[in-house]
Amino acid sequence: MTVIPRQAFTDAEKAILRQELRGAEYAGKTPEEIARMLTIRSLIPNPKPQPQLPKPLDKAVLFQQLQSALVNFSDQALIRLSEAVDANDHATVKLWADLALARGWVTQADYDLVVAELQKTVPDPDWESHIPGPTRMFELIGRDRGISVAEVEELMA
Amino acid sequence: MAEYGVANPANLSALDTSLSVPAGGTWTSGNGVDLLDATANLLGELEVQISVTGGATDGYDIEVIAQYSEDNTNWPDDGDPDAIVYSKADSAGGASITRSPTVPIGTPTARYARLQYKNNNATDAVTVTSKYTIRKGKDST
């Protein structure tokens, strides 16, 4: 039973890595520290701007704006509207507002307030200002690859 | 250095030593093992033990699989497992070592075996050392 070395770096990759390891940042580092330096990913500024998402619906605000219409809604319609708000379903709430306007249950001004509320956006709370960048290994040879202490020692020899 | 997990038995041979596995979920291939005992014409069954160090800031999250091949230069695609060897998330991290039990890989389906490692931590590298032993064999004919 013998161990067969994994695929080695190409000669071109070795040349690039040898050049890299002459850099001052590697001076005095142990091979294990160098292996780690080549395979960690530093955080970099997120190149994508923070997206804007539809603002979550606020039942109190919407029901205030639709107050004059709500007295005309059946109990079933009120339940459905309430469920749509709870589900953050902007399209359905807009349909109910359109209905209320068409039937004259809300003023144009109140309808416009509802539409404006539905069109509000907020910054995506899940967006991260910094994201992991490439490993130094990837920057150097164009692919991520693990590196062992023995391989670092060979490159430094 | 703190050590967690099981003891480090002396009867295991080195397979992959101090291999730094990149952050970000890319599969890293380890060395291969020739399972054929030519004298007895038997394929050995591999058992491995994985030791992990790293994940300095927030612990580590690593997966290890085994692959078999009849050609030690032509392995299955990265991440295509013949056996799941080890999976550990949110372990101690830092400078501590976590050592797995000795894991039997099972009946070999080809002459050569290797491990592949995937480090799911987004930023931190982890260092793995694996050791192996051959427990028993079967007739390869």
Side-chain angles (χ1 to χ4, degrees), chain A residues 115-129:
Chain A
V115 171
E117 186 67 22
L118 294 175
Q119 291 175 339
K120 286 182 179 174
T121 60
V122 292
D124 180 356
D126 293 330
W127 180 83
E128 294 178 342
S129 63

Side-chain angles (χ1 to χ4, degrees), chain A residues 1-7 32 35-43 131-133 135 144-151, chain B residues 14 17-20 22-24 26 28-37 56 72 112 122-125 127 132 134:
Chain A
M1 322 297 174
T2 55
V3 170
I4 301 144
R6 67 202 190 107
Q7 187 178 24
E32 185 156 348
R36 179 177 156 73
M37 290 168 72
L38 292 169
T39 50
I40 61 171
R41 290 159 56 119
S42 300
L43 292 175
I131 60 172
T135 62
D144 269 323
R145 182 191 188 281
I147 184 166
S148 68
V149 164
E151 287 171 318
Chain B
T17 302
S18 298
L19 177 62
S20 188
T26 302
T28 288
S29 302
N31 295 324
V33 181
D34 183 350
L35 300 172
L36 179 64
D37 179 344
N72 65 19
Y112 300 98
T123 55
D124 280 326
T127 302
Y132 78 101
I134 305 295

Side-chain angles (χ1 to χ4, degrees), chain B residues 59-117:
Chain B
Y60 65 75
D61 179 345
I62 191 164
E63 296 172 59
V64 185
I65 62 171
Q67 297 180 321
Y68 291 110
S69 176
E70 287 296 345
D71 177 355
N72 65 19
T73 63
N74 184 20
W75 294 92
D77 292 341
D78 285 349
D80 188 6
D82 288 312
I84 306 296
V85 177
Y86 184 62
S87 178
K88 186 86 175 172
D90 300 327
S91 193
S96 55
I97 296 175
T98 301
R99 197 174 288 118
S100 80
T102 304
V103 181
I105 308 302
T107 304
T109 58
R111 175 175 172 178
Y112 300 98
R114 72 174 182 182
L115 301 182
Q116 281 203 314
Y117 309 90

Side-chain angles (χ1 to χ4, degrees), chain A residues 54-71 73 78 80-98 100 105-107 109-120:
Chain A
K55 182 185 173 191
L57 298 179
D58 184 327
K59 189 179 286 182
V61 170
L62 284 168
F63 276 31
Q64 176 69 31
Q65 291 163 344
L66 288 168
Q67 192 172 26
S68 61
L70 296 182
V71 295
F73 279 27
L78 279 173
R80 287 185 181 173
L81 174 59
S82 181
E83 287 173 345
V85 174
D86 290 342
N88 209 30
D89 182 349
H90 287 64
T92 299
V93 172
K94 174 75 166 37
L95 286 175
W96 284 109
D98 290 345
W105 294 343
V106 289
T107 65
D110 282 343
Y111 173 82
D112 290 345
L113 286 174
V114 171
V115 171
E117 186 67 22
L118 294 175
Q119 291 175 339
K120 286 182 179 174

